[in-house]
Amino acid sequence: MRMRLGCRLSFQLPAPTPMILLLNVHYSRASDLERPDLLVTEPAVAIEAYRDVFGNWCNRVAAPAGRFVVSTDGLIRDAGLSDPVEETAEQYPVERLPSDVLTFLLPSRYCESDLLSDFAWGRFGETALGWPRVKAICDYVNRHVRFGYEHSRATRTAVETLNEGIGVCRDYAHLAIAICRCLNIPARYCTGYVSDIGQPAPYPPMDFAAWMEVYLGGKWLVFDPRNNDIRFGRVLIARGRDAADVPLSHSFGHHDLKSFEVWIDKASKTDDLPQERR
């Protein structure tokens, strides 16, 4: 399966503003890109690319005052498989976990697992270890939280999501991650594309998505508490402890996001043409 993916974000800046942008497909999928999703800016500015401490691709720019647009557009090959289901994946005791996994057991900015321990053990302490426990957590979060873009708040934490029962995909992920960590299950936050391929119409406007990866059976496995169903065409952009580590855009100064467009779908024949011939 071949997919076209990309985004276009338009900002209004009152003054020249340094920015960091995490909008490119994760390096682990670089070999799948037929056309790289290179970052383009309007007006054109110098772009400095680097990797952060989690290995994510980041772009550093000095945006001028006024209207500033950033966009990507790429073609990627995908196996067309759904997220793997491994119901026998076991939970390792903490003493058997690799050292580089331990950081994903600790509380973080939006995942205050230290405040949710009593709740987590009281609610999930009797569930079977491993995959069944994580699935029970995702089922609970999916039922408990009511989705709505009108509920979006950039500072909402896992505890606040539990108390308020509302949020967007990042809030679902933060709450599920925090509960997993309470139960000694390493969990990390992911952001990227999730297509509507295989889903019934009508389709809502496309957006970037958030999910989590959980360390079970000696590897990281995808869980999506927001959708909590079978999904195809998932493409990672970045991963970290929570959304504070992987904001799609971070500005060192005031900015207004004026428009936001995201796309991912099966590629058509015209997607193979150079941009200027479309």
Side-chain angles (χ1 to χ4, degrees), residues 128-161:
L129 295 175
W131 181 281
R133 178 166 287 185
V134 179
K135 183 63 170 66
I137 293 168
C138 290
D139 289 345
Y140 170 80
V141 172
N142 181 265
R143 292 191 305 266
H144 179 76
V145 181
R146 179 163 51 91
F147 182 87
Y149 288 113
E150 69 275 17
H151 305 317
S152 177
R153 188 172 76 237
T155 59
R156 182 182 287 115
T157 68
V159 170
E160 290 171 335
T161 300

Short mmCIF file of all heavy atoms in Angstrom, two decimals, residues 128-161:
data_model
loop_
_atom_site.label_atom_id
_atom_site.label_comp_id
_atom_site.label_asym_id
_atom_site.label_seq_id
_atom_site.Cartn_x
_atom_site.Cartn_y
_atom_site.Cartn_z
N ALA A 128 -5.48 -9.63 34.81
CA ALA A 128 -4.34 -10.47 34.42
C ALA A 128 -3.20 -9.60 33.93
O ALA A 128 -3.41 -8.57 33.26
CB ALA A 128 -4.78 -11.45 33.33
N LEU A 129 -1.97 -10.01 34.23
CA LEU A 129 -0.79 -9.25 33.84
C LEU A 129 -0.61 -9.27 32.32
O LEU A 129 -1.12 -10.13 31.62
CB LEU A 129 0.46 -9.82 34.51
CG LEU A 129 0.52 -9.72 36.03
CD1 LEU A 129 1.76 -10.44 36.55
CD2 LEU A 129 0.54 -8.26 36.48
N GLY A 130 0.17 -8.28 31.84
CA GLY A 130 0.54 -8.27 30.43
C GLY A 130 -0.51 -7.63 29.56
O GLY A 130 -1.18 -6.66 29.94
N TRP A 131 -0.69 -8.20 28.36
CA TRP A 131 -1.61 -7.64 27.38
C TRP A 131 -3.02 -7.44 27.94
O TRP A 131 -3.62 -6.38 27.74
CB TRP A 131 -1.65 -8.54 26.14
CG TRP A 131 -2.55 -8.04 25.06
CD1 TRP A 131 -3.90 -8.15 25.00
CD2 TRP A 131 -2.15 -7.33 23.88
NE1 TRP A 131 -4.39 -7.57 23.85
CE2 TRP A 131 -3.34 -7.05 23.15
CE3 TRP A 131 -0.93 -6.92 23.37
CZ2 TRP A 131 -3.31 -6.39 21.92
CZ3 TRP A 131 -0.90 -6.25 22.15
CH2 TRP A 131 -2.08 -5.99 21.45
N PRO A 132 -3.60 -8.42 28.66
CA PRO A 132 -4.97 -8.22 29.16
C PRO A 132 -5.10 -7.01 30.07
O PRO A 132 -6.13 -6.32 30.06
CB PRO A 132 -5.27 -9.52 29.91
CG PRO A 132 -4.37 -10.54 29.29
CD PRO A 132 -3.12 -9.80 28.95
N ARG A 133 -4.08 -6.73 30.88
CA ARG A 133 -4.15 -5.57 31.77
C ARG A 133 -4.12 -4.28 30.98
O ARG A 133 -4.90 -3.35 31.26
CB ARG A 133 -3.00 -5.62 32.79
CG ARG A 133 -2.98 -4.43 33.73
CD ARG A 133 -2.07 -4.65 34.92
NE ARG A 133 -2.67 -5.62 35.86
CZ ARG A 133 -2.14 -5.93 37.04
NH1 ARG A 133 -0.98 -5.40 37.43
NH2 ARG A 133 -2.74 -6.79 37.83
N VAL A 134 -3.23 -4.18 30.00
CA VAL A 134 -3.17 -2.96 29.19
C VAL A 134 -4.46 -2.78 28.40
O VAL A 134 -4.97 -1.66 28.28
CB VAL A 134 -1.94 -2.99 28.25
CG1 VAL A 134 -1.91 -1.73 27.40
CG2 VAL A 134 -0.65 -3.11 29.06
N LYS A 135 -5.00 -3.87 27.88
CA LYS A 135 -6.27 -3.78 27.15
C LYS A 135 -7.39 -3.31 28.07
O LYS A 135 -8.24 -2.49 27.67
CB LYS A 135 -6.63 -5.15 26.56
CG LYS A 135 -7.90 -5.16 25.71
CD LYS A 135 -7.74 -4.26 24.48
CE LYS A 135 -8.88 -4.44 23.49
NZ LYS A 135 -10.17 -3.99 24.01
N ALA A 136 -7.40 -3.77 29.30
CA ALA A 136 -8.42 -3.33 30.26
C ALA A 136 -8.28 -1.83 30.54
O ALA A 136 -9.28 -1.12 30.68
CB ALA A 136 -8.29 -4.13 31.55
N ILE A 137 -7.05 -1.35 30.60
CA ILE A 137 -6.81 0.08 30.82
C ILE A 137 -7.34 0.88 29.64
O ILE A 137 -8.04 1.90 29.81
CB ILE A 137 -5.31 0.35 31.04
CG1 ILE A 137 -4.86 -0.27 32.36
CG2 ILE A 137 -5.01 1.85 31.00
CD1 ILE A 137 -3.34 -0.31 32.54
N CYS A 138 -7.03 0.44 28.42
CA CYS A 138 -7.50 1.15 27.22
C CYS A 138 -9.03 1.14 27.13
O CYS A 138 -9.64 2.15 26.77
CB CYS A 138 -6.89 0.52 25.97
SG CYS A 138 -5.12 0.81 25.78
N ASP A 139 -9.64 0.00 27.46
CA ASP A 139 -11.11 -0.07 27.44
C ASP A 139 -11.71 0.93 28.42
O ASP A 139 -12.70 1.62 28.10
CB ASP A 139 -11.57 -1.49 27.80
CG ASP A 139 -11.27 -2.50 26.72
OD1 ASP A 139 -10.97 -2.10 25.58
OD2 ASP A 139 -11.32 -3.72 27.02
N TYR A 140 -11.13 1.01 29.60
CA TYR A 140 -11.66 1.93 30.61
C TYR A 140 -11.51 3.38 30.14
O TYR A 140 -12.47 4.17 30.22
CB TYR A 140 -10.92 1.74 31.94
CG TYR A 140 -11.26 2.83 32.94
CD1 TYR A 140 -12.44 2.78 33.67
CD2 TYR A 140 -10.42 3.93 33.10
CE1 TYR A 140 -12.77 3.79 34.55
CE2 TYR A 140 -10.74 4.95 33.99
CZ TYR A 140 -11.92 4.88 34.71
OH TYR A 140 -12.25 5.89 35.57
N VAL A 141 -10.32 3.75 29.68
CA VAL A 141 -10.08 5.13 29.26
C VAL A 141 -10.99 5.50 28.10
O VAL A 141 -11.56 6.60 28.05
CB VAL A 141 -8.59 5.33 28.89
CG1 VAL A 141 -8.37 6.71 28.27
CG2 VAL A 141 -7.70 5.16 30.12
N ASN A 142 -11.14 4.58 27.15
CA ASN A 142 -12.00 4.84 26.00
C ASN A 142 -13.44 5.10 26.42
O ASN A 142 -14.13 5.96 25.86
CB ASN A 142 -11.93 3.66 25.03
CG ASN A 142 -12.77 3.86 23.80
OD1 ASN A 142 -13.91 3.41 23.73
ND2 ASN A 142 -12.21 4.54 22.81
N ARG A 143 -13.94 4.37 27.40
CA ARG A 143 -15.31 4.56 27.88
C ARG A 143 -15.44 5.79 28.77
O ARG A 143 -16.47 6.47 28.75
CB ARG A 143 -15.78 3.32 28.64
CG ARG A 143 -15.97 2.07 27.81
CD ARG A 143 -16.70 0.99 28.62
NE ARG A 143 -16.01 0.70 29.88
CZ ARG A 143 -15.13 -0.27 30.04
NH1 ARG A 143 -14.81 -1.05 29.02
NH2 ARG A 143 -14.55 -0.48 31.22
N HIS A 144 -14.42 6.05 29.57
CA HIS A 144 -14.51 7.09 30.59
C HIS A 144 -14.40 8.50 30.02
O HIS A 144 -15.06 9.43 30.51
CB HIS A 144 -13.42 6.89 31.64
CG HIS A 144 -13.40 7.92 32.72
ND1 HIS A 144 -14.33 7.93 33.74
CD2 HIS A 144 -12.59 8.99 32.93
CE1 HIS A 144 -14.08 8.96 34.55
NE2 HIS A 144 -13.03 9.62 34.07
N VAL A 145 -13.58 8.67 28.98
CA VAL A 145 -13.31 10.00 28.45
C VAL A 145 -14.22 10.27 27.24
O VAL A 145 -14.33 9.44 26.34
CB VAL A 145 -11.83 10.15 28.04
CG1 VAL A 145 -11.56 11.56 27.51
CG2 VAL A 145 -10.92 9.84 29.22
N ARG A 146 -14.86 11.42 27.24
CA ARG A 146 -15.71 11.83 26.13
C ARG A 146 -14.92 12.73 25.20
O ARG A 146 -14.40 13.77 25.60
CB ARG A 146 -16.96 12.55 26.65
CG ARG A 146 -17.91 13.06 25.58
CD ARG A 146 -19.29 13.39 26.17
NE ARG A 146 -19.18 14.26 27.32
CZ ARG A 146 -19.21 15.59 27.26
NH1 ARG A 146 -19.33 16.19 26.09
NH2 ARG A 146 -19.13 16.31 28.36
N PHE A 147 -14.83 12.32 23.92
CA PHE A 147 -14.00 13.05 22.96
C PHE A 147 -14.72 14.26 22.41
O PHE A 147 -15.92 14.24 22.15
CB PHE A 147 -13.61 12.13 21.79
CG PHE A 147 -12.72 12.79 20.77
CD1 PHE A 147 -11.35 12.78 20.93
CD2 PHE A 147 -13.26 13.43 19.67
CE1 PHE A 147 -10.52 13.39 20.00
CE2 PHE A 147 -12.46 14.04 18.73
CZ PHE A 147 -11.08 14.02 18.89
N GLY A 148 -13.95 15.33 22.18
CA GLY A 148 -14.49 16.51 21.52
C GLY A 148 -13.41 17.56 21.36
O GLY A 148 -12.70 17.87 22.33
N TYR A 149 -13.24 18.10 20.12
CA TYR A 149 -12.21 19.11 19.92
C TYR A 149 -12.47 20.34 20.77
O TYR A 149 -11.54 21.07 21.12
CB TYR A 149 -12.14 19.49 18.43
CG TYR A 149 -11.53 18.40 17.58
CD1 TYR A 149 -12.29 17.71 16.64
CD2 TYR A 149 -10.18 18.07 17.70
CE1 TYR A 149 -11.74 16.71 15.86
CE2 TYR A 149 -9.62 17.08 16.92
CZ TYR A 149 -10.39 16.40 16.00
OH TYR A 149 -9.84 15.41 15.24
N GLU A 150 -13.74 20.58 21.10
CA GLU A 150 -14.06 21.72 21.95
C GLU A 150 -13.53 21.54 23.37
O GLU A 150 -13.46 22.49 24.14
CB GLU A 150 -15.58 21.95 21.98
CG GLU A 150 -16.38 20.87 22.71
CD GLU A 150 -16.74 19.67 21.87
OE1 GLU A 150 -16.12 19.49 20.80
OE2 GLU A 150 -17.65 18.92 22.28
N HIS A 151 -13.12 20.31 23.71
CA HIS A 151 -12.58 20.04 25.04
C HIS A 151 -11.06 20.16 25.09
O HIS A 151 -10.45 19.93 26.14
CB HIS A 151 -12.97 18.62 25.49
CG HIS A 151 -14.43 18.35 25.47
ND1 HIS A 151 -15.37 19.24 25.94
CD2 HIS A 151 -15.14 17.27 25.03
CE1 HIS A 151 -16.58 18.74 25.80
NE2 HIS A 151 -16.47 17.54 25.24
N SER A 152 -10.45 20.49 23.96
CA SER A 152 -8.98 20.55 23.91
C SER A 152 -8.43 21.62 24.84
O SER A 152 -8.93 22.75 24.87
CB SER A 152 -8.53 20.83 22.48
OG SER A 152 -7.13 20.94 22.41
N ARG A 153 -7.44 21.26 25.62
CA ARG A 153 -6.73 22.21 26.48
C ARG A 153 -5.28 21.76 26.58
O ARG A 153 -5.00 20.64 26.99
CB ARG A 153 -7.38 22.26 27.87
CG ARG A 153 -6.80 23.36 28.75
CD ARG A 153 -7.57 23.53 30.05
NE ARG A 153 -7.29 22.49 31.03
CZ ARG A 153 -8.22 21.72 31.57
NH1 ARG A 153 -9.49 21.83 31.19
NH2 ARG A 153 -7.90 20.80 32.46
N ALA A 154 -4.36 22.62 26.18
CA ALA A 154 -2.96 22.23 26.04
C ALA A 154 -2.32 21.83 27.36
O ALA A 154 -1.32 21.11 27.37
CB ALA A 154 -2.17 23.38 25.40
N THR A 155 -2.88 22.26 28.48
CA THR A 155 -2.26 22.00 29.78
C THR A 155 -2.93 20.88 30.56
O THR A 155 -2.54 20.61 31.70
CB THR A 155 -2.26 23.27 30.64
OG1 THR A 155 -3.61 23.72 30.82
CG2 THR A 155 -1.44 24.38 29.98
N ARG A 156 -3.94 20.20 29.99
CA ARG A 156 -4.66 19.17 30.73
C ARG A 156 -3.74 17.97 31.01
O ARG A 156 -3.07 17.47 30.13
CB ARG A 156 -5.90 18.71 29.98
CG ARG A 156 -6.70 17.66 30.76
CD ARG A 156 -7.92 17.15 30.01
NE ARG A 156 -8.98 18.16 29.98
CZ ARG A 156 -9.42 18.76 28.88
NH1 ARG A 156 -8.89 18.44 27.71
NH2 ARG A 156 -10.38 19.66 28.93
N THR A 157 -3.75 17.50 32.26
CA THR A 157 -2.92 16.38 32.66
C THR A 157 -3.76 15.11 32.77
O THR A 157 -4.99 15.14 32.66
CB THR A 157 -2.26 16.66 34.02
OG1 THR A 157 -3.29 16.67 35.03
CG2 THR A 157 -1.52 17.98 34.03
N ALA A 158 -3.09 13.99 33.03
CA ALA A 158 -3.78 12.72 33.19
C ALA A 158 -4.78 12.77 34.35
O ALA A 158 -5.91 12.28 34.23
CB ALA A 158 -2.78 11.59 33.39
N VAL A 159 -4.38 13.34 35.47
CA VAL A 159 -5.27 13.44 36.63
C VAL A 159 -6.49 14.29 36.29
O VAL A 159 -7.63 13.93 36.63
CB VAL A 159 -4.53 14.03 37.84
CG1 VAL A 159 -5.51 14.37 38.96
CG2 VAL A 159 -3.47 13.06 38.35
N GLU A 160 -6.29 15.39 35.59
CA GLU A 160 -7.41 16.25 35.21
C GLU A 160 -8.32 15.54 34.21
O GLU A 160 -9.55 15.69 34.26
CB GLU A 160 -6.88 17.55 34.63
CG GLU A 160 -6.21 18.43 35.68
CD GLU A 160 -5.48 19.62 35.09
OE1 GLU A 160 -5.07 19.55 33.91
OE2 GLU A 160 -5.29 20.63 35.80
N THR A 161 -7.75 14.75 33.31
CA THR A 161 -8.57 13.98 32.36
C THR A 161 -9.44 12.98 33.10
O THR A 161 -10.62 12.81 32.80
CB THR A 161 -7.67 13.26 31.35
OG1 THR A 161 -6.90 14.22 30.61
CG2 THR A 161 -8.51 12.43 30.37
#
